[in-house]
Amino acid sequence: MQFPDDDNGKMLEAMADAGIDLSKALDVDFFLVFEDQRDAESALEELGKSDLEGEIELLLNDESGKWELIVCLNMVPEYDAIVEQEVSLHEFAQEFGGVTDGWGVMQHQEGDDDFADDAHECSDDCKH
């Protein structure tokens, strides 16, 4: 399978190399980062009112001291769909003084009870 030579393409290639089936829907986490808690909470509230179909979680990253809004979307991880979602979420985050900070997927998903760690695969730009 051929992937574009950029961060998203490299991420998808690494996932395929790890044996992840990219033809099936996965829970893909997109990370939005905010300096200010009020901005992050405003973005969370606005996303909650939108027609976005996914789960949203807001947390404070203890290491960076920044607020992370995690948008989890169940989708087939196709390159164009990932890029489209990233661009859309980046434009949204900018309205509230935030930026996107990569995306990732849990290495083990459906039915894997042995995998209790919250680690995810990150792009090169991800700060996790």
Side-chain angles (χ1 to χ4, degrees), residues 4 8 15 23 45 56 61 73 93 97 105 120:
N8 289 328
M15 290 168 59
S23 68
E45 184 178 333
I56 309 164
N61 182 313
L73 303 175
V105 297
H120 65 274

Side-chain angles (χ1 to χ4, degrees), residues 35-91:
E35 297 280 341
D36 184 81
Q37 180 179 359
R38 287 171 300 201
D39 291 339
E41 289 172 345
S42 295
L44 174 68
E45 184 178 333
E46 195 64 29
L47 271 179
K49 291 188 240 177
S50 75
D51 61 353
L52 183 76
E53 292 187 24
E55 295 181 29
I56 309 164
E57 179 182 7
L58 178 64
L59 54 92
L60 177 63
N61 182 313
D62 293 330
E63 250 180 64
S64 69
K66 296 180 181 179
W67 291 88
E68 293 180 341
L69 185 56
I70 303 169
V71 179
C72 180
L73 303 175
N74 188 267
M75 60 188 288
V76 175
E78 297 171 328
Y79 178 83
D80 290 338
I82 295 282
V83 170
E84 180 181 326
Q85 204 60 63
E86 270 194 316
V87 168
S88 175
L89 288 170
H90 183 72
E91 290 171 357

Side-chain angles (χ1 to χ4, degrees), residues 105-117:
V105 297
M106 297 294 288
Q107 286 187 341
H108 300 277
Q109 295 200 12
E110 255 180 65
D112 189 352
D113 295 332
D114 294 333
F115 191 73
D117 189 357

Side-chain angles (χ1 to χ4, degrees), residues 3-4 24 77:
F3 297 98
K24 294 184 179 175

